[in-house]
Amino acid sequence: MVEKLTRAVLVFIVVLISSVFVLQFGGPQAEGCAIGGRSYAAKIYGDTISAGDFEAVYGLLFDGRMSPEQARVRRSREAVLDGLVERTLLARYALEVGLKPTEDDVMSKLAKDGTVYFTLGINNQLGTPFGQIRIPVHRQDGRFDGEAAKRFIQYRLQQSIGEFTEWQASELMAHRMRETLFATIQVGPTEVWNAFVSEKDRAKIKYIQFSNRYYRKGLVPSRDAVDQWMASHAEELDAAYDAQKHRYQGLPPQVQLTQLLVPAPESEGDDVRSQAEIDARSSLQRLNEGESFASVAQRNERFQLLNPEQYGWREEGTLPAQVAEVAFGLETGGLSDVIPSEQGFYLIRLEGKRSGDVPEDVAKRELASGLYIDDTASGLAADSAERALEAIRAGTGFEEAARAARFSSEGGGSPGTNPSGASVTGAELLADGSVSGAATLKNDPATDPLAPKAQESREFGRSETPVRGAFNASPLTRAVFDRSLQDPLPEAPIRLGSDWFVFELTSRQEALREDFSEEIRERLTQTLLTTKESEALDVLLQSLKEQAESDNAIRVDTTILSYGGEGAAES
């Protein structure tokens, strides 16, 4: 009886409100209440979203809640327009599947709850993409105030009863479409447990990273080595050239240099600069006497050698201004005087010049040299990782194993085998470099961040990564959680991108059933449910948008996105 009485009262209120609104807003005078006149924000399958609809929603949600600059940065107008488009598509789809609210549904909700629905773009930067917002249509005693509702819609929203009803009817259809979609989504107990494991299962590791970039530094392949690689990788080289030949056409003037830098930044003062210049002039004398750049670079650990094969061909704007000025004036094979710069003092030798189109055979050799260096460096990194893991299994500490994998500046180093089968030893890698396959490597771990070193990760979970880099680290995470404290080392080094890793599990916190409380279960269930609902809604909306775009059924007036004092925004 109470439910019937409540329903009867609401029906009476709806009829009363409707009659009042029709009298107050019906007829031609109602049209003047909408902002924008005949202009539109968007048209979807012929349905018009007027500028007034847009401004009513924007004003209701954001007026007075953020500054114009905040609104621009957070793209609030874009969020409203996207929401109106998405709401219209959902409402249209709801009609197709038989969901259709009546005017009474809209008015009953307003009279009973005093709330209106809204939709923002699902990928907005403002928070929830849909919901309800309360408007002041009730007296203090909780009774519905028809006059207050009329004033709010007329003066605050600047809409007629027809416009307001159409807006909320469309929102209600979109709301019911979302509810219908969400009703099909479930979260199983296994999913919840897996989420708990992902949250609670934690680990820490010690590890060594064997960086491809570290092992390729200083590698200068001999002509014979490149020739052998080209002969055995012809198809790979042809594919690389086809993909990159545009890089060798229509080139601006470029130079290839061997560079020796004696570092002495201007910020270090005159005394440091003076000594650096003395060292540079002494080095120049040795070069003039026939000593190699690699040999001169070894004389001082601060000297920095940049080999042409690694540094590549350079245009004028990619070199320090003082170096470029000298380099482009040298003849091939020419050696510069000492070149002062903000970074210190340079000595350079011009190895070559080019411009325009590079002949195919020359371009392929350059590509082959780089690919050979990549292969060789990868082989050295993999071999170093395997030997380090063997040493650690035999009882060697991580720091000692890392030290053994670094190239020594005294002439020792780690032996390895490159992918082409040629032996590459530490001694060869530390030779002059002109024909041995490598130039001097001076990788002091104190100054070289790429040198292998023992490191310790932060605590991480199954859905996190223990290391950062330009690679997918999930194989390392999986390998870690496959180990136990009783068997903490991997079966083999782990490859991530072009780098290799060796690790040892040092701590492990496992998810336990006794800690899986009902409160945790409910929290994770709701989190998973919300995530799956959002994903499902996103998939549905993308499908509806793609179909509408295919039908050429969406038109947007981007001038509606202006925040004032600027041109039309791009949509």
Side-chain angles (χ1 to χ4, degrees):
M1 290 181 64
V2 172
E3 289 180 358
K4 289 181 179 179
L5 180 59
T6 302
R7 190 177 302 112
V9 170
L10 286 175
V11 170
F12 173 75
I13 291 173
V14 167
V15 173
L16 179 62
I17 295 171
S18 298
S19 62
V20 171
F21 282 173
V22 169
L23 288 172
Q24 295 293 328
F25 298 101
Q29 69 272 24
E31 298 302 322
C33 297
I35 297 174
R38 294 184 178 180
S39 66
Y40 68 93
K43 291 183 180 180
I44 316 295
Y45 285 102
D47 293 335
T48 298
I49 301 171
S50 72
D53 295 335
F54 178 93
E55 298 296 351
V57 177
Y58 190 84
L60 181 65
L61 295 177
F62 299 119
D63 272 1
R65 289 178 170 84
M66 63 178 72
S67 69
E69 182 58 29
Q70 288 175 321
R72 181 181 290 106
V73 170
R74 301 181 70 182
R75 298 175 61 82
S76 58
R77 295 184 76 84
E78 287 83 352
V80 169
L81 183 58
D82 289 345
L84 291 171
V85 171
E86 291 172 8
R87 176 255 286 172
T88 304
L89 290 171
L90 285 173
R92 186 174 183 275
Y93 189 61
L95 285 174
E96 291 179 5
V97 298
L99 302 175
K100 184 179 180 180
T102 66
E103 180 179 312
D104 286 359
D105 293 327
V106 175
M107 294 304 180
S108 296
K109 177 170 173 41
L110 178 66
K112 183 177 180 180
D113 301 332
T115 60
V116 295
Y117 287 112
F118 70 87
T119 302
L120 294 174
I122 193 169
N123 296 314
N124 74 81
Q125 304 174 26
L126 301 159
T128 179
F130 56 86
Q132 302 177 53
I133 187 168
R134 187 172 296 278
I135 62 175
V137 295
H138 288 94
R139 299 189 179 96
Q140 289 186 350
D141 61 5
R143 290 187 298 170
F144 179 75
D145 187 338
E147 286 296 320
K150 179 184 70 174
R151 288 192 301 272
F152 188 87
I153 293 174
Q154 179 181 10
Y155 298 114
R156 180 70 171 80
L157 300 181
Q158 298 192 37
Q159 287 193 314
S160 70
I161 181 59
E163 291 169 331
F164 176 79
T165 303
E166 286 181 12
W167 166 23
Q168 284 301 295
S170 182
E171 286 284 4
L172 185 53
M173 282 191 286
H175 172 73
R176 289 184 177 174
M177 189 64 251
R178 286 188 289 261
E179 285 187 325
T180 301
L181 175 66
F182 295 164
T184 66
I185 297 172
Q186 296 180 338
V187 174
T190 301
E191 291 178 274
V192 181
W193 169 252
N194 289 339
F196 176 69
V197 170
S198 179
E199 182 179 276
K200 292 297 182 181
D201 208 351
R202 314 290 292 174
K204 287 179 70 175
I205 59 172
K206 288 191 297 188
Y207 68 92
I208 305 172
Q209 179 175 356
F210 301 86
S211 169
N212 176 283
R213 289 185 295 160
Y214 173 79
Y215 288 95
R216 64 176 287 133
K217 289 200 306 182
L219 286 176
V220 182
S222 67
R223 188 173 186 84
D224 287 345
V226 176
D227 285 341
Q228 292 175 19
W229 189 95
M230 293 175 70
S232 59
H233 296 78
E235 291 185 7
E236 180 182 346
L237 181 57
D238 287 342
Y241 177 72
D242 288 341
Q244 301 184 54
K245 61 183 176 182
H246 63 278
R247 294 174 45 214
Y248 297 95
Q249 296 171 350
L251 299 178
Q254 295 179 333
V255 293
Q256 191 179 47
L257 305 173
T258 298
Q259 302 177 64
L260 178 68
L261 172 63
V262 180
E266 291 181 344
S267 59
E268 292 190 3
D270 293 341
D271 290 345
V272 173
R273 297 271 296 180
S274 296
Q275 182 58 53
E277 184 174 5
I278 292 171
D279 292 340
R281 295 202 174 279
S282 174
S283 298
L284 176 61
Q285 183 177 346
R286 293 190 178 91
L287 292 173
N288 282 322
E289 292 172 352
E291 193 169 342
S292 70
F293 269 80
S295 176
V296 171
Q298 280 188 296
R299 291 180 176 275
N300 190 311
E301 64 180 12
R302 295 190 64 202
F303 289 0
Q304 297 176 14
L305 178 62
L306 300 174
N307 287 304
E309 290 82 357
Q310 289 186 304
Y311 202 55
W313 290 88
R314 295 287 166 165
E315 299 170 19
E316 186 172 359
T318 65
L319 291 166
Q322 300 89 338
V323 173
E325 183 178 357
V326 175
F328 283 89
L330 289 174
E331 296 295 328
T332 300
L335 181 64
S336 74
D337 197 351
V338 173
I339 305 172
S341 75
E342 295 177 356
Q343 296 80 29
F345 297 87
Y346 282 91
L347 297 171
I348 65 173
R349 182 174 64 207
L350 181 68
E351 308 296 349
K353 288 183 179 181
R354 70 183 185 185
S355 62
D357 294 343
V358 177
E360 181 177 334
D361 60 332
V362 176
K364 281 188 173 182
R365 173 166 289 281
E366 183 177 315
L367 284 170
S369 179
L371 292 170
Y372 172 85
I373 287 173
D374 276 341
D375 283 356
T376 302
S378 294
L380 290 170
D383 184 68
S384 295
E386 290 172 0
R387 286 183 289 103
L389 182 58
E390 291 176 5
I392 292 168
R393 286 191 183 282
T396 300
F398 261 66
E399 185 56 55
E400 185 179 346
R403 258 196 316 271
R406 302 172 196 144
F407 292 114
S408 166
S409 60
E410 280 77 37
S414 303
T417 302
N418 68 40
S420 67
S423 175
V424 181
T425 68
E428 288 171 335
L429 288 171
L430 293 168
D432 175 86
S434 57
V435 295
S436 70
T440 304
L441 285 167
K442 296 189 308 161
N443 297 313
D444 182 354
T447 59
D448 188 346
L450 298 176
K453 57 178 67 67
Q455 302 182 68
E456 187 170 0
S457 76
R458 57 175 177 79
E459 189 177 71
F460 61 96
R462 288 178 176 267
S463 61
E464 301 171 274
T465 56
V467 297
R468 294 181 179 179
F471 42 65
N472 174 17
S474 57
L476 177 59
T477 302
R478 288 195 297 270
V480 169
F481 284 97
D482 284 342
R483 313 316 303 171
S484 67
L485 293 176
Q486 291 71 40
D487 186 14
L489 295 172
E491 296 178 359
I494 309 298
R495 183 172 188 173
L496 303 181
S498 59
D499 294 355
W500 292 83
F501 288 80
V502 168
F503 73 86
E504 180 180 23
L505 182 67
T506 57
S507 75
R508 176 75 182 275
Q509 174 187 331
E510 298 188 55
L512 302 176
R513 286 283 178 183
E514 52 264 36
D515 296 330
F516 192 38
S517 67
E518 187 61 32
E519 180 181 354
I520 292 175
R521 192 191 315 269
E522 290 178 0
R523 173 177 60 80
L524 291 175
T525 298
Q526 187 56 52
T527 299
L528 290 170
L529 192 60
T530 299
T531 300
K532 293 176 76 172
E533 288 174 348
S534 178
E535 291 172 350
L537 180 59
D538 192 27
V539 169
L540 174 59
L541 284 170
Q542 288 302 318
S543 174
L544 295 176
K545 287 178 182 177
E546 288 173 4
Q547 184 60 55
E549 289 169 356
S550 175
D551 295 339
N552 197 26
I554 297 181
R555 292 177 58 191
V556 174
D557 183 356
T558 58
T559 60
I560 201 75
L561 301 178
S562 173
Y563 290 88
E566 59 179 24
E570 295 292 333
S571 68

